[in-house]
Amino acid sequence: MLSDVEIWSDMSGSQWQGTPLIRTTVIGSTSELELSFLDVAQLGEGYRIEQFHLDLPASVAVAKCFEFTVRWKSINTQEEWSWASSTGHNARMALRPRIADKAPASYWRQQLRSLLRPACSDTLPPPATTIADSWQVSSTGASCMFKHCEFDNAASGADFFGQLGTIDGVLAFARKDPFWIIPRAGTDASVAAGLDVVLVLVELSSGAYAALMPFAKDAPTKHTVVFRTGPSNTLYLRASPALDSAPSSIRVAASVSRHPHDAIHDLFERIQQTLPHISIDELNAHCQPTHTTSLSGSMGYCTWNTFYQQVSHDGVVSVLSEICRIGRAANQPGPEWVVIDDGWQTTTQDNSQGQLSEIFANKDKFPDQLKQTVQSLAELGVTRVGVWHALWGYWGGIDHSGPLAQRYELEKYQRKWCPAVKTASEVWLISKTCIAAFYDEFYQWLHNQGVTFVKVDYQAAFETLELDGSDIYSMYNAYCDAMESAALKYFGPGSVVYCMAQTPHLILRTLQHLDSVTAAQQREILRNSDDYFPDEPESHGWHIYCNMANALWSRQLQSRFAVDWDMFQPGKPESHIHAAARTLSGGPLYITGPATNYSHQDLASVLGHTCRTPLPSPPLISSSCLFADMTATAGFLIGSTTLADESAVIISVYNVFHELVVAPVLVSQIITTSDSTGSNRYAIHQQSTDRVCICQTLGDIYTLALQPLACDVLTVARMVMFRSTDRSAYLYAICIGDTSRYAGIGVVERNVFGVVQNIAPGTPAPRSGSPLGNPRQWILRVRLASGCNGVSFALQACESTPEAHSLPVSVQSVRVQGCEIDEWEYLSDTEILRVMFKPPPSNSTAICVTIILSA
């Protein structure tokens, strides 16, 4: 046991001081640091739990950010103090005054003005070159456009934009290479030194959040404008190709808000308002019908990590046959769609220098072309098959001596070295004047083969060509237009997976198209990060963190795109965290690898046995995770997803650090508590232990323990309150969904509605044979989606007196329309009702539960 614990910090000034912590008194089984969700199995042997706290005086509750660490001594020992961190590796804490829900417009104007400070030395240019105009101000934030009047990109490669004011954190979204955007987080802009920065999010010293993004107003898809960072939080603008002839078209959109997610949203909204609109409605009018199997609403399979470029008809059918056999035997979900990745095409060679010779499949690997493969997979229950190809055909372009060169005009270019193709080389590409005809022929042939979607890779490769002026983006746009038009014509909406396409070009192009697609099942798929690498252990935590952070900006494009966190390989030690992350991503979930790996993981615990209910949007990364690389921080990576009807919030918690983490989850900072039901009780379900906690406040700090690459999910639902007609009691109820799977509350289409109560004595209850005459009796109805294995209800009752003494709940009957109940059980000690179905309902259905409170 510990005798003394102190927190050391510089919160009182530049001098570090130690302050004793107070041991937290545990009352019953709970305390201020709630331990009901602490899974001791995660701790392992040799761990002991002790809690301490510190009440800060009001005098320190001002805007400041400081470092701290903790030291402790054991009781009855003469040992020296033990420290929680080494020198230079302290934790950081920010104290912020609360910003009003509706602050005066003048406040937000001042916040945005303070984003850039006046030049503070002779080495910095005067700020007069940057003018803020087009202000939009409300009670919750402000935005403006910085107009850059004097741009001299050619002279130095970058032009001074401004110096950030007093900030406490920076999250820069930088270009790792031409294809991918990565997060760089820290206390100042130097975290992105040497990289092209697409977007910057900063935390102001006031506690507000501001976002900045540069672009070319008059030619957004013909020029790329990025930031470069310099010393002392300076920002420079860099345009490619140069904008010497039209410097006034440079704009930097800026926004400020209480919440980081709102700042990013407002930023993209302002940019969209500024850009010229491009409609593709005329293309939609001639497209194929939408497919019934959505890539985001079902499980898929990708051939890449199984075969790499040695994919073949026999190999694909063999692996999928075995996977489906194992799935049926173990009641596991099977793939409903398959993407045949790189290696199926007719090329000069299967590598980065290979060139596309013909649109048809390699006859040695696919003797009967793709039609036979599609038919064989359909017999296994696969409803959609897609294929991979590069945007310009194959990695090395087009074979200038092959059949395609006889049908289409080719042009020769020099390709620069880039990370994806680690050599400079010559490439032949189809002329942009012919590319529409090529894609029409290519996709028509794929359509006739039974292919229904495509994974279009290597999209940003045009930026690796040695071209002058705007020719790069002229070709980029022509290829994208041709591909998208042909895909709509032959496959329908939601039929393209965009890969290696994380570019400013795509972001701005998408913002110009955002009102063209509305239905979720019609959205295209956008890869949200670099590849999943199953054999690189150090990459797994980064992959989850990178996707969660990137969702800050990619979710702003969700009217057109569902984000894709890439495939994962089941049956490996880290597979569980990848499966959970994909399930909660709001995008597709698909697996790769041999059938033996598939047999080693219980995917039903993630997806359910028969279906998957996709979440409406990607998770929002917690503000506590924004300004630190969570793979190098001893804390949790936390995201939250609010259901479409706002009935519940799913909190996903990941340990992407390399050691065990025991840390709090501040639920009250994640959940908004406004609700018309007037309820003040919440049901919180923990996925890893299947525990449910019913609480009257979200103010408790819920402590979790997770080993490296472990994860957990807390589902928080505000309970619906009902009052008895004699006004003597309250009933609180909520359906928390299918708790056997992640995001199981997603199976609830409508929560606790159509409540029937207090029917006159002797009157039969609607669709029930028993009379209802008790004023403390209700029938609760909930509508469920098809395919769920069962559902759980949290139920609690109390007297309507100031003391609010609890009342026993009795569940009299449970009935489900359209399927049979295997069993149901009400556990009075946990106040949870569990209902299991057999078999799961094949259609949307309603469940009715009769509740009686004891007198």
Side-chain angles (χ1 to χ4, degrees):
M1 178 177 284
L2 302 180
S3 61
D4 299 294
V5 180
E6 294 180 349
I7 181 171
W8 278 71
S9 73
D10 59 350
M11 72 172 71
S12 300
S14 59
Q15 202 70 7
W16 280 67
Q17 296 181 357
T19 304
L21 296 178
I22 304 169
R23 183 179 296 276
T24 299
T25 302
V26 178
I27 303 174
S29 61
T30 62
S31 68
E32 183 181 354
L33 295 177
E34 179 61 63
L35 297 180
S36 57
F37 291 146
L38 185 63
D39 185 2
V40 294
Q42 290 278 342
L43 294 175
E45 298 181 0
Y47 284 91
R48 183 178 65 254
I49 302 170
E50 297 183 46
Q51 295 182 2
F52 298 82
H53 71 276
L54 174 65
D55 295 323
L56 293 175
S59 59
V60 302
V62 295
K64 65 171 61 176
C65 189
F66 57 89
E67 293 187 352
F68 75 94
T69 187
V70 175
R71 70 175 188 173
W72 62 88
K73 277 185 177 181
S74 298
I75 197 169
N76 298 326
T77 68
Q78 302 300 317
E79 295 179 0
E80 296 293 322
W81 289 92
S82 298
W83 292 85
S85 60
S86 58
T87 303
H89 294 84
N90 302 309
R92 296 177 70 248
M93 182 183 299
L95 297 178
R96 301 280 184 252
R98 187 179 183 277
I99 301 174
D101 292 338
K102 293 185 177 182
S106 58
Y107 173 82
W108 291 117
R109 280 183 176 272
Q110 178 56 37
Q111 292 300 307
L112 202 48
R113 287 194 178 103
S114 68
L115 181 57
L116 294 179
R117 66 173 56 180
C120 58
S121 72
D122 295 336
T123 62
L124 297 178
T129 58
T130 302
I131 301 172
D133 60 9
S134 302
W135 285 80
Q136 292 183 8
V137 186
S138 69
S139 60
T140 58
S143 62
C144 73
M145 285 290 173
F146 287 106
K147 180 179 179 181
H148 204 64
C149 300
E150 300 176 8
F151 193 78
D152 185 19
N153 187 64
S156 61
D159 197 64
F160 179 75
F161 168 69
Q163 182 180 23
L164 295 174
T166 305
I167 60 172
D168 289 330
V170 171
L171 175 58
F173 291 99
R175 304 192 71 180
K176 171 188 174 184
D177 51 41
F179 310 102
W180 302 112
I181 292 175
I182 57 174
R184 281 288 182 259
T187 58
D188 58 56
S190 65
V191 294
L195 297 174
D196 288 345
V197 176
V198 178
L199 166 68
V200 176
L201 177 72
V202 300
E203 183 182 21
L204 303 177
S205 59
S206 64
Y209 297 89
L212 291 160
M213 181 174 173
F215 64 102
K217 173 180 175 291
D218 300 324
T221 59
K222 295 181 180 179
H223 300 270
T224 293
V225 185
V226 294
F227 287 125
R228 279 296 183 106
T229 64
S232 303
N233 285 326
T234 51
L235 297 178
Y236 295 79
L237 288 169
R238 181 172 179 267
S240 175
L243 278 167
D244 297 332
S245 60
S248 62
S249 71
I250 289 285
R251 294 289 186 276
V252 176
S255 65
V256 64
S257 183
R258 289 179 58 214
H259 302 292
H261 318 99
D262 292 340
I264 299 289
H265 172 79
D266 294 346
L267 180 81
F268 275 64
E269 193 173 68
R270 283 306 309 275
I271 295 173
Q272 186 184 15
Q273 293 171 5
T274 307
L275 297 177
H277 172 71
I278 298 176
S279 175
I280 58 173
D281 290 336
E282 57 196 55
L283 297 177
N284 282 323
H286 303 288
C287 69
Q288 297 287 328
T290 301
H291 296 277
T292 56
T293 300
S294 167
L295 301 184
S296 295
S298 55
M299 191 177 83
Y301 182 87
C302 180
T303 63
W304 178 246
N305 289 107
T306 312
F307 304 103
Y308 295 99
Q309 289 164 322
Q310 303 309 309
V311 65
S312 67
H313 166 83
D314 292 341
V316 172
V317 174
S318 174
V319 167
L320 267 296
S321 297
E322 183 66 6
I323 285 176
C324 292
R325 184 194 66 79
I326 294 171
R328 286 191 298 269
N331 198 20
Q332 293 287 309
E336 296 183 43
W337 52 270
V338 170
V339 56
I340 301 174
D341 214 289
D342 184 10
W344 69 271
Q345 294 171 285
T346 301
T347 60
T348 57
Q349 50 187 319
D350 289 335
N351 56 37
S352 62
Q353 300 302 311
Q355 299 169 331
L356 184 66
S357 301
E358 185 54 278
I359 62 173
F360 310 128
N362 184 307
K363 63 181 181 180
D364 295 327
K365 299 177 181 179
F366 295 85
D368 297 314
Q369 295 298 291
L370 298 176
K371 183 173 289 187
Q372 182 59 49
T373 307
V374 172
Q375 292 174 351
S376 298
L377 293 178
E379 294 171 0
L380 299 174
V382 175
T383 59
R384 297 188 69 180
V385 176
V387 296
W388 175 100
H389 70 84
L391 181 58
W392 62 26
Y394 200 62
W395 298 107
I398 306 298
D399 177 9
H400 67 281
S401 60
L404 286 176
Q406 307 305 313
R407 302 201 298 275
Y408 299 103
E409 178 186 351
L410 303 186
E411 297 173 347
K412 184 171 68 173
Y413 299 94
Q414 291 298 317
R415 179 173 55 175
K416 297 175 288 187
W417 183 97
C418 70
V421 183
K422 296 180 173 59
T423 181
S425 61
E426 177 185 279
V427 293
W428 290 82
L429 303 179
I430 295 174
S431 168
K432 65 180 180 182
T433 60
C434 304
I435 194 61
F438 165 78
Y439 266 108
D440 192 81
E441 180 193 14
F442 185 22
Y443 282 7
Q444 183 181 39
W445 179 80
L446 289 176
H447 172 74
N448 292 337
Q449 294 289 304
V451 171
T452 62
F453 70 97
V454 286
K455 175 183 176 181
V456 185
D457 211 340
Y458 203 41
Q459 292 202 26
F462 291 95
E463 296 190 27
T464 69
L465 299 180
E466 293 183 354
L467 288 176
D468 296 327
S470 60
D471 290 344
I472 290 176
Y473 295 103
S474 177
M475 287 191 65
Y476 200 167
N477 289 324
Y479 270 66
C480 287
D481 289 342
M483 180 270 291
E484 291 167 354
S485 177
L488 282 168
K489 180 179 179 180
Y490 292 109
F491 308 134
S495 59
V496 179
V497 179
Y498 289 68
C499 191
M500 298 182 76
Q502 285 188 320
T503 64
H505 173 272
L506 177 125
I507 294 173
L508 296 171
R509 179 183 171 88
T510 302
L511 290 176
Q512 294 180 277
H513 292 166
L514 269 187
D515 62 347
S516 300
V517 179
T518 54
Q521 68 270 22
Q522 294 180 328
R523 292 184 297 171
E524 313 296 344
I525 306 296
L526 174 64
R527 274 283 301 279
N528 196 48
S529 76
D530 199 349
D531 291 1
Y532 158 77
F533 299 107
D535 300 321
E536 297 182 12
E538 70 282 356
S539 72
H540 298 299
W542 168 258
H543 187 85
I544 304 296
Y545 165 64
C546 183
N547 273 286
M548 181 83 79
N550 274 348
L552 258 177
W553 63 265
S554 61
R555 72 192 323 271
Q556 309 306 324
L557 311 178
Q558 63 183 335
S559 294
R560 188 181 180 199
F561 289 115
V563 296
D564 172 14
W565 291 27
D566 203 11
M567 69 195 93
F568 75 96
Q569 191 166 320
K572 298 177 74 68
E574 71 284 349
S575 297
H576 183 75
I577 192 172
H578 284 292
R582 299 333 187 258
T583 302
L584 301 170
S585 70
L589 183 151
Y590 53 118
I591 61 174
T592 187
T596 51
N597 284 21
Y598 170 79
S599 66
H600 294 157
Q601 182 160 3
D602 180 13
L603 289 175
S605 65
V606 178
L607 301 173
H609 293 285
T610 58
C611 76
R612 173 180 179 229
T613 304
L615 295 177
S617 60
L620 287 172
I621 187 172
S622 171
S623 58
S624 63
C625 307
L626 289 175
F627 303 110
D629 178 352
M630 298 309 296
T631 65
T633 304
F636 292 137
L637 174 64
I638 301 174
S640 63
T641 304
T642 302
L643 297 190
D645 62 359
E646 299 185 353
S647 62
V649 176
I650 299 173
I651 302 174
S652 46
V653 185
Y654 305 95
N655 180 10
V656 295
F657 191 56
H658 59 271
E659 295 179 357
L660 168 74
V661 172
V662 181
V665 177
L666 306 178
V667 175
S668 61
Q669 293 186 5
I670 301 172
I671 308 297
T672 56
T673 58
S674 58
D675 187 23
S676 59
T677 65
S679 169
N680 61 352
R681 302 200 182 196
Y682 302 84
I684 305 178
H685 173 256
Q686 183 184 29
Q687 180 67 31
S688 63
T689 62
D690 201 23
R691 298 171 185 160
V692 177
C693 174
I694 298 177
C695 56
Q696 297 187 35
T697 177
L698 295 177
D700 289 336
I701 302 172
Y702 294 90
T703 304
L704 300 182
L706 293 176
Q707 291 288 343
L709 295 183
C711 63
D712 208 342
V713 175
L714 301 179
T715 301
V716 184
R718 189 164 191 167
M719 304 179 75
V720 183
M721 181 183 70
F722 307 101
R723 192 173 188 178
S724 62
T725 53
D726 62 3
R727 300 181 177 275
S728 64
Y730 292 110
L731 172 69
Y732 298 88
I734 197 70
C735 179
I736 54 178
D738 185 351
T739 59
S740 68
R741 66 173 82 175
Y742 285 104
I745 198 167
V747 305
V748 182
E749 293 183 344
R750 190 177 178 188
N751 216 322
V752 186
F753 74 100
V755 178
V756 180
Q757 65 174 11
N758 311 323
I759 297 177
T763 303
R767 301 180 185 178
S768 175
S770 60
L772 293 177
N774 189 333
R776 294 182 172 185
Q777 187 166 348
W778 294 265
I779 295 179
L780 309 180
R781 290 197 179 98
V782 173
R783 178 155 292 280
L784 306 173
S786 61
C788 59
N789 309 300
V791 291
S792 297
F793 290 80
L795 304 169
Q796 193 173 75
C798 66
E799 296 177 346
S800 59
T801 60
E803 294 80 15
H805 295 301
S806 61
L807 293 170
V809 174
S810 174
V811 179
Q812 295 296 298
S813 66
V814 178
R815 190 175 58 80
V816 181
Q817 299 172 355
C819 72
E820 296 183 3
I821 294 177
D822 185 26
E823 62 178 349
W824 66 268
E825 179 184 21
Y826 177 65
L827 306 173
S828 58
D829 55 335
T830 60
E831 301 175 304
I832 301 300
L833 167 66
R834 300 193 185 276
V835 184
M836 299 302 297
F837 308 134
K838 187 178 183 180
S842 57
N843 298 300
S844 177
T845 187
I847 181 171
C848 299
V849 180
T850 302
I851 307 293
I852 295 180
L853 304 186
S854 300

